[in-house]
Amino acid sequence: MNWTEKDLAHIWHPCSQMKDYAELPPIIVDHAAGLYLYDKDDNRYLDAVSSWWCNLLGHCHPRINAAVKRQLDQLEHVIFANFSHTPAITLCDRLAGLLPAGLTKFFFTDNGSSAVEAAMKMSFQYHYQTGAPQKKRFMALSDAYHGETVGALSLGGVDLYSEIYKPLLLDIIRVDGPDCYRCPYGQHRESCHAECFAAAEDAFAQHGHEVCAFIVEPLVQAAAGMKIYPPAYLKKLRQACDAHQVHLIADEIATGFGRTGKLFACDHAGISPDMICLSKGLTGGYMPMALAVTTQKIYDAFYADYNDGKAFMHSHTYSGNPLACSAAVEVLAILREENILAKANANSRYFTQLVHEKLSEHRHVGDIRSIGLINAIELVEDKASKRSFDSKRRTGYQIYKQALKKGVVLRPLGDVLYFNPPLTITREDMDFAVRVCADCIGEVLG
Ligand SMILES: *Cc1c(COP(=O)(O)O)cnc(C)c1O
């Protein structure tokens, strides 16, 4: 058996109908450098989606590689209860100075979903221990995505992922969220006052008393198709949470570390959440690690004599893994020393212009939405009515397969094609990626 056959004999790939692999077998990646993946036959692929939004500074970055190798010879892993190490301490010390104000207490987990779970339990337990045990439900937006474990999946509002599991899931208060492309108020993202927050106001009025936390993906609902909404919505949400003693959990797993043009998406709105969840770009896309970061106030509600039973009894075996921390510390150093964000922002204007220039005229390009280096293209059957294609046509998937042949990884979300590349993408690679995207749309849709 060759590698592909052995893979198919044993491996169940994530988020995949394995039958599709009969026609499109997995690409066996041999090595990677910068923005490119290289397969066994030395074909190269531009990683325009940052390997599921986690690769931040390119693959096999010399500085991150060196940092992890140094750490590997020093300490690979250690129990994180009662033990600690300088990579974790350094990381938290530096991040505390970069996060929205007040987020100073760091809880480590080992993937994004588990950071969301930790934040949920923390919020529930906080209210339980501070005289508000009736606050035990969660609010989340329509089209939200917060991960795949049962708690995190409950918060999600994308049926593709959660529909079948509904009998297992928590009873969430679902709030109709912003939908700027098909805005029911006929407004525009650049000029509106988040009129659509009215739905959240109603939900707070009805349920605020029984809610411990509202979780939100600040500014970009990524898994929903890179749906972007204005900072005004977040400001209103912060105020409503305060008015109803509801924690605001910012899930910045996808949006953190410069993806939106600022270090964190909350910074666009100038708000501080009560908890923030981080992962993906945190380690530059090197290692599974995540954080639920919270405030002194919430931390203090758990701080008591042991026999009071107030501790947060939550743990993951690989909490605070030193290798992952060493990668994360180096990522922060590179971001600062190499002025990455400023350079990315200068390039992002070029990128967005290019995407508009090459794609907006196409008769099936309904919407182009952009923030930072994220540029998403929603394909529709009919532009005037914004009618989507029948999802059974799998239009996005056809384009994805076509783009792979031309050397670009453009894995879409349904019929939303998007670029969410490492922050270090060059203009030359932008030209290449957008050209391939335009060509493939043309080939598949005429
Ligand atoms: C990816 C993602 C998660 C889940 O993280 P995993 O590491 O895949 O479990 C949660 N929330 C958001 C916004 C994400 O993009």
Side-chain angles (χ1 to χ4, degrees):
M1 282 203 276
N2 64 26
W3 288 111
T4 302
E5 288 161 348
K6 277 190 201 165
D7 176 286
L8 293 175
H10 297 297
I11 297 180
W12 195 341
H13 288 271
C15 205
S16 296
Q17 171 47 264
M18 291 308 300
K19 194 174 180 193
D20 282 346
Y21 286 53
E23 181 207 3
L24 181 66
I27 293 162
I28 315 285
V29 178
D30 180 74
H31 61 280
L35 269 80
Y36 286 89
L37 312 170
Y38 297 83
D39 70 14
K40 293 259 170 222
D41 303 320
D42 224 29
N43 298 308
R44 64 175 205 166
Y45 305 87
L46 176 67
D47 190 356
V49 299
S50 296
S51 284
W52 266 344
W53 325 335
C54 67
N55 188 287
L56 197 69
L57 301 167
H59 292 272
C60 286
H61 191 290
R63 283 186 63 177
I64 307 174
N65 284 16
V68 174
K69 285 176 189 168
R70 270 196 308 276
Q71 184 56 39
L72 188 57
D73 284 331
Q74 186 125 7
L75 173 67
E76 83 301 339
H77 187 67
V78 63
I79 178 174
F80 206 52
N82 240 140
F83 289 80
S84 195
H85 46 77
T86 53
I89 299 165
T90 308
L91 175 62
C92 297
D93 185 49
R94 300 222 173 125
L95 261 181
L98 299 170
L99 283 164
L103 296 167
T104 55
K105 295 291 180 184
F106 292 73
F107 193 88
F108 282 89
T109 70
D110 48 18
N111 63 72
S113 305
S114 67
V116 170
E117 301 272 344
M120 292 173 80
K121 287 172 68 179
M122 227 179 243
S123 179
F124 166 82
Q125 190 172 341
Y126 170 91
H127 288 98
Y128 183 81
Q129 289 174 183
T130 56
Q134 75 284 2
K135 286 179 153 301
K136 55 191 174 194
R137 296 184 69 189
F138 295 89
M139 288 164 100
L141 295 179
S142 50
D143 271 350
Y145 180 85
H146 299 290
E148 301 291 349
T149 51
V150 172
L153 190 66
S154 301
L155 301 172
V158 181
D159 281 349
L160 176 66
Y161 308 118
S162 56
E163 177 79 36
I164 193 164
Y165 308 106
K166 289 228 161 110
L168 301 180
L169 303 181
L170 297 173
D171 184 19
I172 299 297
I173 297 155
R174 183 73 57 205
V175 175
D176 278 337
D179 188 0
C180 297
Y181 176 39
R182 298 179 175 87
C183 179
Y185 295 85
Q187 299 283 335
H188 297 281
R189 185 160 61 236
E190 297 72 28
S191 54
C192 78
H193 300 95
E195 284 78 0
C196 58
F197 192 74
E201 294 281 12
D202 291 347
F204 272 105
Q206 201 184 336
H207 296 287
H209 62 282
E210 53 171 335
V211 170
C212 58
F214 195 124
I215 188 164
V216 69
E217 297 159 88
L219 296 198
V220 188
Q221 292 189 299
M226 300 292 164
K227 285 176 69 182
I228 300 170
Y229 63 89
Y233 193 93
L234 287 181
K235 287 190 190 145
K236 289 189 176 181
L237 182 56
R238 176 70 274 183
Q239 284 167 5
C241 285
D242 286 342
H244 294 270
Q245 288 88 49
V246 168
H247 288 147
L248 176 57
I249 304 174
D251 178 351
E252 293 235 21
I253 292 165
T255 52
F257 302 98
R259 296 288 185 194
T260 66
K262 292 194 188 275
L263 201 51
F264 299 101
C266 283
D267 298 340
H268 289 274
I271 59 146
S272 284
D274 299 289
M275 297 174 198
I276 195 167
C277 298
L278 305 172
S279 189
K280 294 200 167 113
L282 172 64
T283 64
Y286 266 59
M287 234 98 58
M289 185 168 77
L291 285 164
V293 192
T294 190
T295 60
Q296 183 75 44
K297 182 180 175 195
I298 290 174
Y299 175 88
D300 284 345
F302 295 74
Y303 194 90
D305 287 333
Y306 182 82
N307 287 333
D308 290 354
K310 289 190 168 177
F312 189 47
M313 297 305 286
H314 184 104
S315 65
H316 291 286
T317 309
Y318 284 99
S319 297
N321 176 260
L323 296 170
C325 289
S326 71
V329 168
E330 195 63 18
V331 165
L332 293 182
I334 296 168
L335 285 174
R336 188 185 67 238
E337 290 161 22
E338 301 184 14
N339 226 355
I340 299 289
L341 210 46
K343 289 181 198 160
N345 284 341
N347 281 337
S348 72
R349 280 184 283 276
Y350 175 84
F351 199 14
T352 298
Q353 247 170 24
L354 183 71
V355 171
H356 277 270
E357 218 170 89
K358 301 285 184 223
L359 297 170
S360 62
E361 296 300 309
H362 194 281
R363 68 194 167 94
H364 290 298
V365 171
D367 189 31
I368 297 175
R369 33 187 187 259
S370 310
I371 187 168
L373 284 169
I374 298 173
N375 288 280
I377 301 115
E378 179 162 343
L379 301 172
V380 292
E381 178 145 38
D382 181 59
K383 240 168 146 153
S385 66
K386 306 183 182 180
R387 187 179 70 242
S388 304
F389 283 107
D390 179 351
S391 63
K392 293 207 163 66
R393 278 180 62 172
R394 305 184 74 192
T395 306
Y397 182 66
Q398 309 306 332
I399 293 168
Y400 165 63
K401 286 192 291 186
Q402 223 33 41
L404 275 180
K405 288 186 207 153
K406 298 179 196 288
V408 179
V409 183
L410 209 61
R411 199 171 200 275
L413 295 152
D415 291 339
V416 178
L417 303 167
Y418 67 91
F419 305 99
N420 186 9
L423 302 182
T424 46
I425 187 172
T426 62
R427 293 187 181 196
E428 199 184 337
D429 285 336
M430 292 172 186
D431 291 337
F432 172 55
V434 175
R435 189 172 66 240
V436 167
C437 182
D439 289 351
C440 294
I441 291 175
E443 283 163 29
V444 171
L445 291 174

